Amino acid sequence: MINKTDFYNEYFYKQSKLLKQINIKDLIKASNMISKLKKNKIILIGNGGSAAICSHMATDFSKTHSIRAINFSSDSLLTCFSNDYGYENWVKKALEIFCDKNDIVILISSSGKSANIILAADFCKKNKINLITMSGFNKKNELNKYGNINFWVNSKIYNHIEMTHHIILTSICDYLVT
């Protein structure tokens, strides 16, 4: 078994190394894009842990900046749309209904391969919707091809990828307070 001190030192070293790789120019572009929202909204979407990040950040953007920010974490919406349109299509269908011109969509998939997120990204691209993507694992993942801004985390460890995504979004939110 690994020594606990060594484990934590290595764990935080890896996480801090990923944070140092974040493209600051993309952070500034994303901050500028969000700061220009007037009557429009941010729609944040992810699966699993990424969905939890979306829920947290929708609350923070709304509370801190009075930006309308939503996520699709409703059990009834998710199960209804998945049942009626198929799991891979539920996000796209939700965007067809809820997304307005000049909204910003933020799609998160650690692998960059989640079918429901990819179909939503394709919908955004075809409809010229402002899109920020967040992914990890392979830089050539499918999701990383779609966004106006793409944040990619160079890791294969889910928790490191998700925490980096969360810190990226939190930093944008905190910057907008200044």
Side-chain angles (χ1 to χ4, degrees):
M1 177 178 244
I2 189 169
N3 173 291
K4 289 177 184 155
T5 301
D6 292 342
F7 171 82
Y8 287 115
N9 282 329
E10 180 68 16
Y11 189 90
F12 290 114
Y13 170 76
K14 287 178 182 175
Q15 186 67 57
S16 65
K17 192 173 167 187
L18 293 172
L19 293 171
K20 289 177 184 173
Q21 294 174 12
I22 296 169
N23 185 326
I24 301 301
K25 289 180 182 178
D26 285 341
L27 280 173
I28 292 168
K29 284 179 9 184
S31 298
N32 288 340
M33 183 189 291
I34 291 169
S35 71
K36 292 177 184 169
L37 281 175
K38 300 288 183 231
K39 302 262 184 225
N40 292 89
K41 64 189 166 297
I42 302 171
I43 301 173
L44 300 105
I45 307 164
N47 297 312
S50 297
I53 293 167
C54 292
S55 179
H56 176 184
M57 294 314 304
T59 300
D60 280 6
F61 280 116
S62 296
K63 179 186 83 165
T64 309
H65 306 293
S66 298
I67 293 172
R68 293 185 316 140
I70 63 171
N71 69 90
F72 301 130
S73 59
S74 162
D75 305 7
S76 57
L77 179 117
L78 194 143
T79 56
C80 172
F81 280 33
S82 293
N83 185 60
D84 291 355
Y85 307 110
Y87 188 78
E88 67 282 355
N89 293 306
W90 83 264
V91 176
K92 177 183 169 231
K93 188 62 178 177
L95 288 174
E96 288 174 3
I97 293 169
F98 291 100
C99 190
D100 298 313
K101 183 180 168 119
N102 298 320
D103 283 349
I104 297 170
V105 174
I106 299 174
L107 297 175
I108 307 175
S109 169
S110 292
S111 69
K113 298 189 295 187
S114 304
N116 61 339
I117 301 297
I118 300 303
L119 290 173
D122 188 59
F123 171 81
C124 289
K125 186 171 188 170
K126 286 179 179 171
N127 290 281
K128 297 181 170 83
I129 297 167
N130 296 311
L131 176 61
I132 297 171
T133 71
M134 307 185 97
S135 63
F137 290 87
N138 184 340
K139 189 168 189 168
K140 294 182 181 178
N141 71 64
E142 192 67 21
L143 184 59
N144 209 26
K145 300 173 186 173
Y146 283 97
N148 301 89
I149 302 167
N150 299 293
F151 290 102
W152 173 73
V153 179
N154 186 13
S155 178
K156 293 183 178 7
I157 302 169
Y158 275 98
N159 283 338
H160 283 299
I161 295 166
E162 289 174 345
M163 287 303 95
T164 304
H165 290 161
H166 203 157
I167 291 169
I168 288 168
L169 290 171
T170 302
S171 71
I172 292 168
C173 192
D174 287 346
Y175 172 77
L176 295 174
V177 172
T178 62

